[in-house]
Amino acid sequence: MTHRDPPGILAPHIPADAYHRAQATGQPIVMVVNDTGIPWRRCLYPLAIAGAVVIGGWGLVAALAWLLDIAAHTATVIAGAAGPIGVGGITLKLTRSKG
């Protein structure tokens, strides 16, 4: 006849007879838990990819800002060299005169 304890009283990985024998003799029960903590190798690849995306995005923003700055300087130089622009009797002066 086998004796079975109700579920929830004993841990499922400790056999009941070993538990009762340890209680009767006073021997300590050693429970080994295989817990490695956070699996860093599994988390490392997504973090590396996300970091590369963020750095690439900031690089793209910096490149666009630099291109807009260069375009604005170029437009200013061209407008200063061209002088006033007139179409149909309406004259538009793009830059201020220096004098």
Side-chain angles (χ1 to χ4, degrees), residues 34-49:
N34 294 326
D35 185 22
T36 58
I38 299 173
W40 289 108
R41 185 167 288 168
R42 191 169 28 154
C43 297
L44 186 64
Y45 290 119
L47 288 176
I49 291 171

Side-chain angles (χ1 to χ4, degrees), residues 3-80:
H3 172 71
R4 294 187 183 234
D5 290 329
I9 293 177
L10 295 176
H13 59 278
I14 301 173
D17 59 343
Y19 180 78
H20 291 299
R21 183 173 53 245
Q23 259 190 338
T25 60
Q27 292 177 335
I29 297 176
V30 178
M31 297 194 300
V32 178
V33 179
N34 294 326
D35 185 22
T36 58
I38 299 173
W40 289 108
R41 185 167 288 168
R42 191 169 28 154
C43 297
L44 186 64
Y45 290 119
L47 288 176
I49 291 171
V53 167
V54 167
I55 291 172
W58 277 109
L60 183 63
V61 168
L64 287 174
W66 179 74
L67 284 174
L68 286 174
D69 185 46
I70 295 298
H73 284 293
T74 303
T76 303
V77 168
I78 291 173

Side-chain angles (χ1 to χ4, degrees), residues 71-85 92-98:
H73 284 293
T74 303
T76 303
V77 168
I78 291 173
I85 298 175
L92 178 64
K93 191 172 185 182
L94 297 178
T95 59
R96 296 181 191 156
S97 62
K98 294 183 181 180

